[in-house]
Amino acid sequence: MTMQPILCFGEALIDFHAEGNDGHGFGQHFVPFAGGAPANVAVAVARLGGAARFAGMLARDAFGDFLLDSLKRAGVGTDDIARTDAANTALAFVTLDACGERSFSFYRSSTADLLFRPTHFRAGAFRDVAVFHVCSNSMTDPELAATTRDGMQRAHDAGALVSFDVNLRPALWSAEVDPRPLLWPALHLADVVKMSAEEFAWLALDGEQAALDRLWLGRTRLVVVTDGAGPLRWFHPDAEGELPCYPVDAVDTTAAGDAFVGGLLCRLAGLEVGPERIDHLVTELPRLHAILRYAAACGALTVTRQGSFAAMPNEGEVLAFMDAHA
């Protein structure tokens, strides 16, 4: 049976990765990689053999051309992409510490990805979609945030599973803005929410249980919290659990979370798990745990490589990695 597509919405940008060191902690030169969290997820799905599409606004500049070509080469459907002459491509400069942990410097003021509006969604874009995926980077601009929520609602109306990755990048938010109140309306539209342990602590100002109880007031039925090589945790209104992850030597953690999400959504789409079936999946713990272990393997394998699109593993590599780390 052919898998229905996973549609990822949001930003595609250029990640400039630092190479070398000038002796003061600054890269000697920077190498461009195609990236952007939702675009990374789309590439992850495609590399794993899933049907992936990307929706977003790309500039008609050299970087926009590079991103479009990179998505096509990765096997991602690009019919849902719009182009503009009114703005340039967003850029991110990525530096890594000795453990492969990354930090970002963003150049994303009035860039092309911020200009996507509801009218840019292709007619029938949600008709055959299994999963619609977004992240918080689409919430930093009020009009784009409204567009994101519009897409999430359209996906629900079409019967798709809606996924939200918190993927918080504080540098993208004004210092005067608390992102939490702006994220909650989108969180309440998501069936599946993924976040890091650090993001969970940030979101849970009044404690983890209070944050979970607030999530259950919306559509959310599954929350997954990752913690690097530490155990991942999952939560459902009626159950919760913890699973060990794969210890690896990290080279570059830039796209680890996106690879995890790609693996998770690919397996959920393969099982045809819609919003109404998440509850049933949680009653089949061996199946749920197998899905989460697969996602964890995708993330672990990705951190052993540099780049974003370029770091995503294929299905065979993930299965071989899992066999080697059983």
Side-chain angles (χ1 to χ4, degrees), residues 39-265:
N40 290 340
V41 173
V43 170
V45 170
R47 289 267 171 83
L48 294 170
R53 300 196 336 243
F54 177 75
M57 183 72 75
L58 297 183
R60 286 196 178 93
D61 60 14
F63 289 136
D65 292 343
F66 173 65
L67 289 167
L68 183 62
D69 181 66
S70 297
L71 287 163
K72 288 179 176 179
R73 287 177 179 270
V76 175
T78 58
D79 290 346
D80 299 280
I81 289 175
R83 304 292 300 269
T84 182
D85 294 308
N88 292 326
T89 300
L91 309 177
F93 288 82
V94 185
T95 54
L96 304 172
D97 65 17
C99 298
E101 286 296 330
R102 72 279 188 274
S103 59
F104 298 91
S105 295
F106 289 101
Y107 291 78
R108 194 192 179 217
S109 176
S110 303
T111 50
D113 61 293
L114 299 174
L115 301 182
F116 198 100
R117 298 292 178 262
T119 54
H120 293 123
F121 282 120
R122 184 172 54 86
F126 298 94
R127 188 177 300 128
D128 61 342
V129 168
V131 182
F132 182 64
H133 173 71
V134 301
C135 74
S136 71
N137 296 344
S138 296
M139 312 304 296
T140 59
D141 173 84
E143 289 188 83
L144 184 59
T147 300
T148 304
R149 294 190 298 269
D150 178 82
M152 296 172 83
Q153 187 59 58
R154 291 193 202 194
H156 271 301
D157 293 343
L161 191 75
V162 175
S163 164
F164 188 92
D165 183 1
V166 173
N167 192 50
L168 185 69
R169 298 289 179 263
L172 291 177
W173 295 83
S174 169
E176 293 77 33
V177 173
D178 179 2
R180 296 176 188 87
L182 303 176
L183 297 189
W184 275 108
L187 287 166
H188 280 151
L189 287 170
D191 302 294
V192 177
V193 173
K194 184 268 179 190
M195 59 186 120
S196 69
E198 183 179 12
E199 290 161 350
F200 193 19
W202 170 83
L203 188 68
L205 282 177
D206 298 319
E208 291 185 356
Q209 191 57 54
L212 291 168
D213 289 342
R214 187 172 179 181
L215 281 166
W216 307 146
L217 294 175
R219 295 181 182 269
T220 308
R221 307 306 289 168
L222 179 65
V223 175
V224 181
V225 179
T226 60
D227 192 15
L232 69 83
R233 302 161 67 195
W234 63 267
F235 301 90
H236 175 270
D238 300 321
E240 62 183 69
E242 184 176 287
L243 285 174
C245 285
Y246 300 92
V248 294
D249 294 326
V251 171
D252 183 350
T253 62
T254 303
D258 304 325
F260 181 97
V261 172
L264 173 65
L265 299 184

Side-chain angles (χ1 to χ4, degrees), residues 15-20 29-34 47 94-96 100 249-255 301-312:
D15 286 329
F16 282 95
H17 287 250
E19 291 193 355
H29 57 276
F30 288 81
V31 179
F33 289 87
R47 289 267 171 83
V94 185
T95 54
L96 304 172
D249 294 326
V251 171
D252 183 350
T253 62
T254 303
L301 188 52
T302 297
V303 304
T304 65
R305 306 166 174 181
Q306 189 179 23
S308 301
F309 288 14
M312 298 300 176

